[in-house]
Amino acid sequence: MKDIDAIAVLQDPVRRRLYEYVAAQGREVGRNEAAEAAGVARTLAAHHLDKLTEAGLLESGSRRLTGRSGPGAGRPAKVYTRARAERSVSLPARDYRTAAELLAEAAEQAGLDAGLCAAARRRGEALRGSAEPCGGLAEAMEVLAARGYEPHLEAGPEGAAGEAVPSVRMRNCPFHAVAERFPPLVCGMNLALLEGLLGAGGPVRARMDARPGECCVVVEASKNDDR
């Protein structure tokens, strides 16, 4: 299915709600849960979830949601996750990805990592404008969401006081396609961009902490600030 046809599937408001809910969870979602979240009947949710799967926007599988196995554990239920494939539409057709990959290849071969990170940090600062550095993780999540990072709050390891220290992880990397081919270069650029965007010297900081299926950067409270 062409990208424009796949994206057109989201025109239906119920289908759009179901897709956004599944995509936001970062895990497998069953039909009952999705139906409840979208405020529709299970049968209607199942119909739309399968349509989204046919369009390539979701991937489906099956597992027992009870967590049990063996006799009496019940039949496996159908579950859904966001598809790994990337969809985009440009009218007229444009190919910015190839240009980005060529520029990244040239920058990597020429050893321009430092210059690229400096430019990315300046761009982040320009995007922040005259605003003060982010005042906390909640504000950082708003900034990241506006840039398409799909942030979510996660309890981290215990701090000095014995309490879990929260951090912000991101389910989406806006530069994923190029980062897959040139990870050190593009991930370093991404970190520098976020450092400029969030602001230095404030109560939050960005640092590299790669995790499969997520953005390579994590945002957390600065060491001198426990907010």
Side-chain angles (χ1 to χ4, degrees):
M1 178 178 287
K2 295 180 180 179
D3 283 1
I4 193 168
D5 296 325
I7 293 172
V9 170
L10 296 172
Q11 184 176 3
D12 183 278
V14 174
R15 207 168 286 168
R16 178 72 172 268
R17 292 202 303 274
L18 287 165
Y19 172 79
E20 290 177 343
Y21 179 79
V22 173
Q25 304 315 301
R27 56 174 173 78
E28 294 176 329
V29 175
R31 287 173 168 175
N32 288 339
E33 179 185 348
E36 184 176 352
V40 297
R42 182 184 184 280
T43 52
L44 181 60
H47 167 75
H48 286 305
L49 289 167
D50 286 340
K51 287 292 183 183
L52 289 165
T53 303
E54 291 173 12
L57 297 172
L58 296 181
E59 294 177 355
S60 64
S62 62
R63 67 178 178 86
R64 288 188 173 92
L65 299 178
T66 61
R68 296 180 297 168
S69 60
R75 297 177 59 186
K78 199 163 187 178
V79 292
Y80 303 84
T81 56
R82 179 166 59 182
R84 298 178 182 85
E86 189 174 299
R87 302 284 183 175
S88 63
V89 174
S90 176
L91 299 174
R94 297 287 188 262
D95 189 7
Y96 299 113
R97 175 174 173 175
T98 296
E101 289 178 346
L102 289 170
L103 290 168
E105 182 177 354
E108 188 174 72
Q109 291 178 352
L112 299 178
D113 304 55
L116 176 61
C117 287
R121 191 172 288 104
R122 290 195 298 270
R123 174 59 63 91
E125 292 169 350
L127 290 170
R128 193 177 82 251
S130 60
E132 294 292 323
C134 281
L137 293 181
E139 184 179 342
M141 289 183 68
E142 293 180 5
V143 172
L144 294 167
R147 304 297 305 175
Y149 283 91
E150 298 184 5
H152 63 100
L153 199 62
E154 180 177 282
E158 290 186 356
E163 296 181 353
V165 179
S167 60
V168 175
R169 293 276 179 176
M170 293 165 273
R171 293 196 175 99
N172 182 50
C173 172
F175 316 109
H176 175 71
V178 187
E180 277 195 316
R181 289 196 57 189
F182 308 95
L185 181 76
V186 178
C187 290
M189 176 202 76
N190 185 28
L191 174 61
L193 176 70
L194 292 180
E195 286 174 339
L197 184 64
L198 299 175
V204 300
R205 66 166 186 150
R207 66 176 178 85
M208 198 76 74
D209 187 17
R211 179 187 290 183
E214 293 188 341
C215 177
C216 60
V217 177
V218 63
V219 177
E220 59 192 12
S222 299
K223 289 184 178 180
N224 60 349
D225 193 302
D226 59 2
R227 279 178 288 179

